[in-house]
Amino acid sequence: AVALLGQTLTPYIWLYLVCQALMSFCQANLRVALINKVIERGRSKETGVLMGLNQLVNSMGRVGAPLLGGLVQEVHMTGSGVLGAGFALLACGILMIVPPDGTDRQAASKDKKEL
Protein backbone atom coordinates (compact mmCIF):
# COMPACT_ATOMS: atom_id res chain seq x y z
CA ALA A 1 0.00 0.00 0.00
CA VAL A 2 2.88 2.34 0.79
CA ALA A 3 4.53 1.72 -2.58
CA LEU A 4 1.25 2.32 -4.41
CA LEU A 5 0.63 5.57 -2.54
CA GLY A 6 4.22 6.60 -3.22
CA GLN A 7 3.75 5.99 -6.93
CA THR A 8 0.51 7.93 -6.95
CA LEU A 9 1.53 10.99 -4.96
CA THR A 10 5.24 11.53 -5.66
CA PRO A 11 6.37 14.42 -7.88
CA TYR A 12 9.87 12.92 -8.33
CA ILE A 13 10.75 10.34 -10.96
CA TRP A 14 13.49 8.73 -8.84
CA LEU A 15 11.05 8.12 -5.97
CA TYR A 16 8.51 6.74 -8.43
CA LEU A 17 11.11 4.24 -9.67
CA VAL A 18 12.02 3.22 -6.12
CA CYS A 19 8.34 2.64 -5.30
CA GLN A 20 7.88 0.69 -8.55
CA ALA A 21 10.84 -1.57 -7.72
CA LEU A 22 9.49 -2.17 -4.21
CA MET A 23 6.04 -2.97 -5.54
CA SER A 24 7.38 -5.37 -8.17
CA PHE A 25 9.51 -7.20 -5.61
CA CYS A 26 6.61 -7.53 -3.16
CA GLN A 27 4.17 -8.66 -5.85
CA ALA A 28 6.50 -11.40 -7.08
CA ASN A 29 7.04 -12.74 -3.58
CA LEU A 30 3.41 -12.48 -2.51
CA ARG A 31 2.18 -14.30 -5.60
CA VAL A 32 4.39 -17.30 -4.79
CA ALA A 33 3.34 -17.22 -1.12
CA LEU A 34 -0.35 -17.08 -2.07
CA ILE A 35 -0.06 -20.07 -4.39
CA ASN A 36 1.76 -21.96 -1.65
CA LYS A 37 -1.00 -21.20 0.88
CA VAL A 38 -3.71 -22.24 -1.60
CA ILE A 39 -1.98 -25.58 -2.15
CA GLU A 40 -1.41 -26.12 1.60
CA ARG A 41 -5.02 -25.43 2.60
CA GLY A 42 -6.64 -27.37 -0.21
CA ARG A 43 -6.91 -31.11 -0.54
CA SER A 44 -4.46 -32.81 -2.84
CA LYS A 45 -7.22 -33.86 -5.27
CA GLU A 46 -8.55 -30.29 -5.48
CA THR A 47 -5.26 -28.52 -6.21
CA GLY A 48 -6.07 -28.03 -9.90
CA VAL A 49 -9.51 -26.63 -9.12
CA LEU A 50 -8.07 -24.23 -6.55
CA MET A 51 -5.36 -23.06 -8.94
CA GLY A 52 -7.97 -22.48 -11.64
CA LEU A 53 -10.14 -20.53 -9.21
CA ASN A 54 -7.11 -18.44 -8.24
CA GLN A 55 -6.47 -17.63 -11.90
CA LEU A 56 -10.16 -16.78 -12.41
CA VAL A 57 -10.11 -14.29 -9.55
CA ASN A 58 -6.90 -12.71 -10.91
CA SER A 59 -8.44 -12.41 -14.37
CA MET A 60 -11.61 -10.82 -13.05
CA GLY A 61 -9.49 -8.32 -11.11
CA ARG A 62 -7.57 -7.45 -14.26
CA VAL A 63 -10.85 -6.77 -16.05
CA GLY A 64 -12.60 -4.88 -13.26
CA ALA A 65 -9.71 -2.80 -11.90
CA PRO A 66 -9.25 -0.56 -14.96
CA LEU A 67 -12.98 0.08 -15.12
CA LEU A 68 -13.22 1.01 -11.45
CA GLY A 69 -9.96 2.97 -11.63
CA GLY A 70 -11.19 4.96 -14.61
CA LEU A 71 -14.45 5.81 -12.88
CA VAL A 72 -12.64 6.97 -9.75
CA GLN A 73 -10.11 8.92 -11.80
CA GLU A 74 -12.99 10.95 -13.25
CA VAL A 75 -13.51 12.31 -9.75
CA HIS A 76 -9.85 13.09 -8.96
CA MET A 77 -6.55 12.57 -10.73
CA THR A 78 -4.97 10.51 -7.92
CA GLY A 79 -8.19 8.70 -7.04
CA SER A 80 -7.30 5.36 -8.62
CA GLY A 81 -3.99 5.06 -6.75
CA VAL A 82 -5.55 6.04 -3.44
CA LEU A 83 -8.42 3.59 -4.01
CA GLY A 84 -5.95 0.80 -4.82
CA ALA A 85 -3.95 1.53 -1.66
CA GLY A 86 -7.18 1.54 0.33
CA PHE A 87 -8.16 -1.87 -1.04
CA ALA A 88 -4.67 -3.16 -0.22
CA LEU A 89 -4.99 -1.96 3.37
CA LEU A 90 -8.47 -3.48 3.59
CA ALA A 91 -7.12 -6.83 2.40
CA CYS A 92 -4.31 -6.68 4.98
CA GLY A 93 -6.85 -5.92 7.70
CA ILE A 94 -9.05 -8.84 6.68
CA LEU A 95 -6.06 -11.17 6.69
CA MET A 96 -5.13 -10.03 10.20
CA ILE A 97 -8.66 -10.39 11.59
CA VAL A 98 -9.71 -13.70 9.99
CA PRO A 99 -7.70 -16.59 11.44
CA PRO A 100 -6.16 -19.24 9.18
CA ASP A 101 -8.45 -22.15 8.35
CA GLY A 102 -6.81 -24.80 10.54
CA THR A 103 -6.43 -22.91 13.83
CA ASP A 104 -10.04 -23.12 15.03
CA ARG A 105 -10.24 -26.84 14.29
CA GLN A 106 -6.98 -27.55 16.09
CA ALA A 107 -8.10 -25.61 19.16
CA ALA A 108 -11.48 -27.39 19.18
CA SER A 109 -9.88 -30.82 18.91
CA LYS A 110 -7.49 -30.02 21.78
CA ASP A 111 -10.40 -28.90 23.95
CA LYS A 112 -12.29 -32.14 23.22
CA LYS A 113 -9.23 -34.23 24.11
CA GLU A 114 -8.81 -32.42 27.43
CA LEU A 115 -12.42 -33.14 28.42
Side-chain angles (χ1 to χ4, degrees):
V2 173
L4 188 57
L5 275 177
Q7 282 182 327
T8 303
L9 301 175
T10 186
Y12 305 110
I13 189 72
W14 65 269
L15 187 57
Y16 178 84
L17 293 174
V18 168
C19 291
Q20 178 67 33
L22 177 65
M23 197 159 118
S24 297
F25 177 76
C26 291
Q27 182 182 9
N29 288 321
L30 287 175
R31 188 170 294 188
V32 172
L34 177 67
I35 290 171
N36 188 26
K37 285 295 179 188
V38 166
I39 290 172
E40 279 180 8
R41 289 186 180 185
R43 298 182 185 124
S44 61
K45 292 181 180 180
E46 297 175 350
T47 302
V49 172
L50 291 173
M51 296 299 291
L53 184 61
N54 186 18
Q55 291 297 319
L56 174 72
V57 170
N58 283 336
S59 297
M60 294 303 288
R62 287 182 184 149
V63 168
L67 177 66
L68 184 60
L71 291 174
V72 172
Q73 204 165 11
E74 289 291 326
V75 175
H76 195 271
M77 182 74 160
T78 60
S80 60
V82 173
L83 182 70
F87 278 140
L89 289 173
L90 178 67
C92 290
I94 289 172
L95 288 174
M96 285 185 211
I97 293 171
V98 177
D101 193 24
T103 57
D104 292 335
R105 293 181 195 156
Q106 291 172 356
S109 65
K110 285 181 184 179
D111 290 340
K112 288 180 182 178
K113 289 179 182 178
E114 290 176 2
L115 294 174

